[in-house]
Amino acid sequence: MDKIKETLHQLFDDFQNFEDKGQKATYIPELAHIDEDLFGVSLSCLDGMQISLGDATTPFSLQSISKVLSLVLAYNILGEDLWKRVDVEPSGDTFNSLILLELEMGIPRNPFINAGAIVVADILISHLKNPEEVFLKFIQELAQDTSIQYDLNIFHSEKSVAYRNYSLINLMKSFGNIHNDIDKVMDLYFMMCSVSITCQQLSKAFLFFANDGTHPLTQQQILIPSRNRRINAIMQLCGFYDEAGEFAYRVGLPGKSGVGGGIIAIHPGLYAVTVFSPKLNKKGNSTKGMAFLERLTSELNNSIF
Ligand code: DON
């Protein structure tokens, strides 16, 4: 533990001089207002110890990291039948690509590309009376923090320009893979992406992925161990879109990114770590976040491989 703490502090200092060639996301207008120099890190261990540095208590937009938690809810509702609606293969494409969806008859490659997460939102609407409330409560319980909320400015901002996401859902609807009203599904999808969260809250919320599906701080079983392993596997293979190979190669942990600048990574049996830095590379992943996690697993000499 001391080694992890020491390494994090050392790296955090080193990264003050990181030359960041990335650019923050601007396709969602509201995201363009973030201070691009923010930089936060939080690592939570199974015993509840948390090491937080920099802007670890500054909220940022959860965006695609929400796709992991909506998947957990849908997987627990449908079990293995879920995979009739969405596959578990890496896409090798951008997160909002339409290309494979047409070729593969409206079945998204995996639940972490936008199309897959939209199908997951459709499933939640079919099975839950108030999915918006269930999702928010779920994340609040995982983080043990009721101050986590949706950000309606981000919600409306994304919705106002979401032409591509609407084309994805229309295409899937035409293939019969969306069962509910398109606007209702999209609103839930945008809402889940809009959650405002800090590094500290997020590393705590994702801790159960490092502990066979049981939250180590509440002892609540969130996923049975086999499902937990499977979601970790999907994070490893699909969590960074067409950069999933690069993340596995350089960092060697299952994880998930979001265009808000956050990255969560899991070391099964050890920790969950969040890095937040808004400048993204061309694939939509935080440049500094990826570089930091690469250094972390290199210095600790400890990835899952
Ligand atoms: O649908 C979108 O485009 C966003 N709400 C989420 C995209 C995202 O975070 C991709 N991740 N790197």
Side-chain angles (χ1 to χ4, degrees):
M1 187 47 52
D2 285 350
K3 171 79 179 151
I4 294 183
K5 199 169 179 174
E6 201 181 294
T7 308
L8 273 175
H9 279 272
Q10 180 63 50
L11 286 183
F12 193 79
D13 286 347
D14 290 356
F15 270 75
Q16 296 307 317
N17 303 319
F18 180 78
E19 200 197 329
D20 200 334
K21 298 216 173 75
Q23 287 192 328
K24 62 186 170 182
T26 51
Y27 77 101
I28 298 176
E30 196 63 25
L31 285 182
H33 301 145
I34 318 174
D35 172 359
E36 62 186 20
D37 294 325
L38 290 169
F39 178 38
V41 177
S42 175
L43 184 145
S44 289
C45 300
L46 297 189
D47 63 3
M49 198 184 98
Q50 195 174 52
I51 306 157
S52 296
L53 297 159
D55 301 306
T57 55
T58 303
F60 61 92
S61 194
L62 186 59
Q63 292 301 321
S64 285
I65 301 173
S66 65
K67 292 166 176 164
V68 187
L69 298 179
S70 55
L71 173 65
V72 171
L73 293 176
Y75 199 8
N76 279 338
I77 291 169
L78 286 190
E80 302 312 310
D81 280 348
L82 174 64
W83 311 121
K84 293 179 186 155
R85 304 273 308 272
V86 53
D87 211 338
V88 294
E89 294 297 337
S91 68
D93 272 325
T94 52
F95 58 85
N96 54 10
S97 174
L98 285 144
I99 296 170
L100 286 172
L101 204 54
E102 163 81 334
L103 295 173
E104 297 176 355
M105 317 287 282
I107 303 291
R109 272 285 167 118
N110 65 67
F112 295 157
I113 51 174
N114 289 6
I118 291 169
V119 168
V120 166
D122 183 56
I123 291 166
L124 297 182
I125 287 178
S126 295
H127 291 87
L128 299 171
K129 231 192 224 141
N130 192 342
E132 218 174 275
E133 193 184 309
V134 170
F135 183 80
L136 189 61
K137 284 228 165 92
F138 182 46
I139 192 160
Q140 287 177 342
E141 270 170 28
L142 289 174
Q144 299 180 300
D145 193 334
T146 50
S147 72
I148 298 171
Q149 295 296 331
Y150 293 121
D151 182 333
L152 291 178
N153 288 331
I154 296 274
F155 166 84
H156 288 297
S157 179
E158 171 159 26
K159 188 172 162 160
S160 71
V161 292
Y163 309 110
R164 207 165 240 282
N165 281 331
Y166 282 107
S167 39
L168 289 169
I169 196 170
N170 276 287
L171 190 54
M172 292 191 287
K173 185 93 177 166
S174 78
F175 281 111
N177 199 20
I178 293 293
H179 300 170
N180 296 283
D181 173 68
I182 280 177
D183 287 321
K184 225 170 139 185
V185 178
M186 289 317 299
D187 280 1
L188 176 61
Y189 170 80
F190 300 138
M191 207 60 151
M192 295 191 295
C193 289
S194 84
V195 165
S196 185
I197 198 159
T198 68
C199 288
Q200 268 190 350
Q201 292 163 334
L202 192 57
S203 67
K204 196 165 169 187
F206 270 61
L207 210 41
F208 69 94
F209 285 113
N211 193 42
D212 278 336
T214 295
H215 199 308
L217 308 180
T218 62
Q219 292 312 314
Q220 198 189 350
Q221 188 176 62
I222 312 298
L223 284 167
I224 56 172
S226 62
R227 287 182 185 171
N228 192 69
R229 286 195 294 276
R230 285 178 168 170
I231 296 191
N232 279 338
I234 303 171
M235 277 197 261
Q236 186 74 72
L237 292 168
C238 313
F240 297 82
Y241 313 105
D242 42 346
E243 201 165 40
E246 184 89 4
F247 193 82
Y249 178 82
R250 284 172 46 190
V251 179
L253 300 177
K256 184 77 204 79
S257 62
V259 290
I263 296 182
I264 177 85
I266 313 293
H267 201 310
L270 289 180
Y271 58 75
V273 59
T274 310
V275 184
F276 162 53
S277 165
K279 289 189 183 175
L280 312 178
N281 62 23
K282 293 213 161 63
K283 314 272 175 151
N285 303 317
S286 168
T287 41
K288 191 150 54 172
M290 277 187 72
F292 185 89
L293 292 171
E294 177 180 8
R295 282 283 304 281
L296 181 68
T297 51
S298 303
E299 301 285 329
L300 295 176
N301 205 9
N302 194 359
S303 83
I304 65 160
F305 296 105

